[in-house]
Amino acid sequence: MITLVIISALIGFASTKPCDTEGSNTELLLSLNKNLLRSLESQEGLPNPSVHLALRLSNNHNLAKESEHLNRLKNELHNDIQSSLSNSQPVTGVLALYNLALKSSCYDLNTVSFTVNERSEALLTHLKNQMELEKEHIAFSHRPLTNYYQYSLGVLALCVSGIRVNNHVTNKLIKAAEHEQFKHGESESVDTYAMAGMALQCVKDSGCHMQNAAGLDTALSKIKQKLLASRRADGHIGNEFSTGLAVQALLAMGSEVAECAASMEAMRTAARSNAYHNPMAISQTLPALHQTSYMAVKSKECLTEDNTLVLEPLDPVVVSPNQVKVNVMVEVVTSSGAAALYSVHVPKGSSLLEALELLKEENVGFTFEKESSLWGPFLSVVNGEQARQSDRRYWHLSSDGTALTEGVGDFKIEAAQRITIRNTSY
C-alpha cells in the first residue's frame, strides 16, 4: 500500500496543473469525442446506449449522427430488450442504460413501452419491476439477480428520471456498501463502488430517503473512502478503465475538480497513448474529462446545443505484411482444476481473440465460443465448458500471472507470453 505521504505529494503536484479544458486538453477532448462518434460507423452488433450517453454529455455535438444513433437504439436495442423481457431474462443493466440514453436526448420516457405477454407497460415500469426482482433475489440469496453494478445502474436510472426509488431497494444497496459486498471474484470492484456512489448520491439529493438518512450518509462516506483508497501512484483509481467512473462518482459526491486533478491527468495521459480505443472505455472516461457525471442527465436540457462536431475523412490504412511472429502459450484451467496447455505462433500485434482463433484452427483440441457485450466479445465456452453469469462464473484471463484489464478483442500480443484462461466463480 502506498503511503499517504506519497499520495498527498502526488495529489499536491498534480493539482497545480490546469484542470480546465484549455489548449491541448481541449484538443484531446475533441479527439476522444470524434473517436466515439466515428465508432458508430463501425459498430458491430447492437447499438451501445453508453456511447450515446457519453456523446450527449459532451460539449460538442453532431446532432444528425446522434439522432441516427438514437433511432437505432429505439429500434434495434429496444426490440432486443423486449425479447429478453419476454423470455424472463434479467436485463437490469442494459434497460437502465437505455433509460439514461433516452433521457440524455430529452426523450419523453412515458412514450416508451414494452409489450410482454400481450401486455404493454412503460419502460420505467419495467425497470421498477426488474429492481423488485433484484431486491427479492438479495433477500433470499444475499446477492442480486445480476450484480450490484447493474443494481446500482437501475437505482440511478430511476432516480435521475424523477422516480421515487423504493426504500427497500435503496436499503439493499446501502447495506451492500456498508458490508463491502461490491466484489468481482476476490477483488473489490471500483466500477461498482463508483456506480453505487452516483446512485446513492442521487437518492440523497432527491430527499426521498429519510427513513435511513444516517445509513445513506454512512454508505456514501464508505464509498468515497474506498474510491480514494484505490487511487494508485500514477493517479488512476483501480486501473485506467475504472478511473472514469470513479472520477464521475467523486465529482457527483461533491469532490472539487482540483481533488481529482491527479486522476484527470492520468486519464489524459492514457488517452494520449491510445489506451481508450474501446468505445465503451471512451464512453465512461469522456464525461469525467468533461468534469461531469451520469447524474447530469437529471437536469439535461437539449436547447441551443453546439452542432459543430464534424468527422474528417480518414486516410486509407495501408496494412504491411507483418513477418514477425511471437509464441503464445495458452493454458486452460477448468472449474475442476484440470489444466491443458497449448502453443501457437501469432503475428506480433494480433489481438488475443485472433490468437485464440488461430489456435482453434490448428485442431489441437482447443475450442471456444464467444458472446457479445457492450465491452466487446467475451469468452462464454472454452473446451466445451461454460462459464455463465447465471452460475456466477466467468473466464478469468491473465498474462504471465497478471490479470488482463482488457477483453479478448482489445488485448494485443506484442511479445511471447503465457495466457491463462481460468473458469472462476464470483
Side-chain angles (χ1 to χ4, degrees):
M1 179 66 69
I2 303 164
T3 65
L4 290 176
V5 174
I6 295 176
I7 292 176
S8 299
L10 284 166
I11 294 173
F13 171 76
S15 63
T16 63
K17 299 184 179 183
C19 280
D20 57 23
T21 55
E22 296 296 321
S24 63
N25 291 341
T26 300
E27 290 300 315
L28 179 64
L29 281 171
L30 209 54
S31 175
L32 286 173
N33 214 328
K34 288 181 178 181
N35 289 343
L36 198 58
L37 190 65
R38 187 170 277 115
S39 75
L40 302 183
E41 299 174 351
S42 58
Q43 197 174 61
E44 296 181 3
L46 294 169
N48 190 331
S50 183
V51 167
H52 190 81
L53 180 55
L55 288 171
R56 296 297 303 146
L57 290 176
S58 296
N59 294 335
N60 303 102
H61 300 278
N62 184 312
L63 297 178
K65 288 189 177 295
E66 289 175 12
S67 180
E68 289 175 11
H69 193 242
L70 178 64
N71 286 331
R72 283 195 63 198
L73 288 169
K74 288 172 5 190
N75 289 287
E76 298 170 43
L77 184 63
H78 187 101
N79 291 339
D80 187 75
I81 293 173
Q82 180 159 289
S83 176
S84 295
L85 288 169
S86 298
N87 293 314
S88 300
Q89 297 173 339
V91 290
T92 304
V94 70
L95 188 59
L97 274 175
Y98 181 41
N99 181 106
L100 290 170
L102 291 172
K103 185 159 179 59
S104 71
S105 286
C106 302
Y107 200 80
D108 185 356
L109 296 174
N110 293 317
T111 67
V112 184
S113 61
F114 295 96
T115 301
V116 179
N117 297 327
E118 300 183 356
R119 181 178 179 182
S120 180
E121 290 184 305
L123 183 158
L124 290 168
T125 300
H126 278 285
L127 184 53
K128 286 192 290 184
N129 291 341
Q130 288 287 303
M131 294 307 298
E132 285 298 314
L133 292 174
E134 297 274 12
K135 180 202 72 176
E136 291 167 8
H137 201 274
I138 295 173
F140 67 78
S141 69
H142 307 292
R143 61 191 183 196
L145 189 59
T146 55
N147 51 55
Y148 278 113
Y149 180 87
Q150 294 192 46
Y151 192 90
S152 300
L153 253 177
V155 171
L156 178 63
L158 288 173
C159 179
V160 300
S161 300
I163 303 299
R164 186 184 184 282
V165 183
N166 186 316
N167 282 336
H168 295 294
V169 169
T170 307
N171 281 330
K172 290 287 190 290
L173 192 57
I174 290 172
K175 289 181 179 178
E178 290 177 345
H179 293 95
E180 302 181 3
Q181 294 178 327
F182 300 153
K183 294 188 175 182
H184 186 69
E186 296 300 317
S187 303
E188 291 192 318
S189 172
V190 170
D191 299 69
T192 305
Y193 273 106
M195 194 59 72
M198 284 188 275
L200 292 178
Q201 186 65 51
C202 183
V203 169
K204 179 178 179 178
D205 292 348
S206 72
C208 294
H209 196 83
M210 303 307 294
Q211 292 182 356
N212 189 16
L216 179 57
D217 286 340
T218 299
L220 284 168
S221 178
K222 166 81 79 171
I223 289 169
K224 188 170 185 178
Q225 175 189 358
K226 285 287 185 180
L227 293 176
L228 293 175
S230 299
R231 184 153 47 195
R232 304 185 324 203
D234 63 2
H236 283 299
I237 302 175
N239 61 48
E240 58 268 44
F241 300 105
S242 56
T243 306
L245 283 180
V247 169
Q248 284 194 51
L250 289 171
L251 293 175
M253 290 188 288
S255 292
E256 297 293 332
V257 172
E259 294 179 67
C260 301
S263 299
M264 292 279 197
E265 191 61 28
M267 287 188 289
R268 293 188 191 107
T269 300
R272 291 188 178 102
S273 64
N274 197 34
Y276 304 126
H277 48 81
N278 184 301
M280 189 68 179
I282 301 176
S283 75
Q284 295 183 343
T285 304
L286 193 56
L289 289 176
H290 275 297
Q291 302 173 13
T292 188
S293 76
Y294 291 164
M295 274 181 60
V297 172
K298 186 172 186 177
S299 56
K300 175 74 174 170
E301 293 183 354
C302 305
L303 303 173
T304 61
E305 292 183 313
D306 169 274
N307 190 25
T308 60
L309 194 62
V310 178
L311 296 180
E312 303 84 2
L314 288 176
D315 294 328
V317 178
V318 179
V319 181
S320 57
N322 189 346
Q323 300 300 323
V324 179
K325 291 195 173 185
V326 294
N327 178 249
V328 179
M329 303 295 294
V330 178
E331 180 186 31
V332 178
V333 183
T334 64
S335 57
S336 67
L341 191 62
Y342 309 91
S343 177
V344 63
H345 285 83
V346 303
K348 183 178 179 181
S350 300
S351 69
L352 176 54
L353 180 58
E354 291 169 333
L356 296 182
E357 287 172 342
L358 284 174
L359 180 57
K360 183 178 179 180
E361 290 172 6
E362 293 186 355
N363 293 316
V364 292
F366 174 81
T367 62
F368 76 95
E369 297 175 23
K370 65 183 188 296
E371 295 181 16
S372 61
S373 75
L374 297 181
W375 278 94
F378 67 95
L379 299 180
S380 55
V381 181
V382 179
N383 287 354
E385 182 170 275
Q386 291 184 326
R388 301 175 301 184
Q389 178 179 300
S390 58
D391 297 327
R392 301 283 164 175
R393 305 198 70 85
Y394 69 102
W395 290 103
H396 179 271
L397 305 175
S398 61
S399 172
D400 294 332
T402 301
L404 301 188
T405 56
E406 296 179 280
V408 289
D410 295 311
F411 182 76
K412 300 298 181 184
I413 305 293
E414 300 293 349
Q417 57 197 278
R418 184 186 183 114
I419 299 292
T420 300
I421 305 172
R422 186 183 300 274
N423 194 323
T424 307
S425 62
Y426 66 93

